[in-house]
Amino acid sequence: MHLISIRQLRNDAAKYPDVGQTIEAWYAVARKANWDNLEDVRKIYRDAEAVGNFTVFNIKGNKYRLIAGIDYGNKTIFYKYLLTHADYDKEKWKNDPYF
């Protein structure tokens, strides 16, 4: 899978010192993946869920949420947000036009 905006993901992860290694591990797995649907994603990330047009990944024991759009046909992941669980619960990210 090709990740659009790994640079932005890394910039956002830098705001949270405890998440950097976990994000790099997630990226290493996602980059090598060949997902065709959400069920394929769940074989590796069992807690991943579809919310609107996004796929939400629980990161670091559900302390953070990584929100991405996935185009399975083009094998592309579009990074959107890395949020603390508290910020995720505020649901401001749902104002994104892609949602």
Side-chain angles (χ1 to χ4, degrees), residues 1 10-11 22 37 43 46 52 54 57 76 92 98:
M1 304 290 288
R10 286 177 173 148
N11 287 343
T22 306
N37 52 49
K43 289 176 185 174
R46 63 182 170 90
F54 292 128
F57 296 87
T76 304
K92 291 180 183 178
Y98 185 71

Side-chain angles (χ1 to χ4, degrees), residues 3-89:
L3 177 64
I4 301 295
S5 206
I6 181 62
R7 182 180 300 149
Q8 186 60 49
L9 173 56
R10 286 177 173 148
N11 287 343
D12 290 349
K15 298 173 192 172
Y16 311 106
D18 63 329
V19 79
Q21 289 182 338
T22 306
I23 291 299
E24 291 302 323
W26 176 88
Y27 176 57
V29 169
R31 186 178 56 205
K32 294 178 183 176
N34 187 26
W35 296 324
D36 290 319
N37 52 49
L38 182 60
E39 290 309 310
D40 286 348
V41 175
R42 286 184 174 161
K43 289 176 185 174
I44 300 170
Y45 297 103
R46 63 182 170 90
D47 294 329
E49 61 183 328
V51 181
N53 289 319
F54 292 128
T55 300
V56 178
F57 296 87
N58 294 331
I59 302 293
K60 200 156 176 78
N62 204 22
K63 186 174 179 181
Y64 300 94
R65 298 288 179 94
L66 191 156
I67 302 169
I70 301 178
D71 182 337
Y72 296 105
N74 289 321
K75 304 296 182 198
T76 304
I77 302 170
F78 298 91
Y79 166 70
K80 296 298 270 182
Y81 306 100
L82 177 65
L83 303 172
T84 65
H85 191 98
D87 285 337
Y88 174 86
D89 285 345

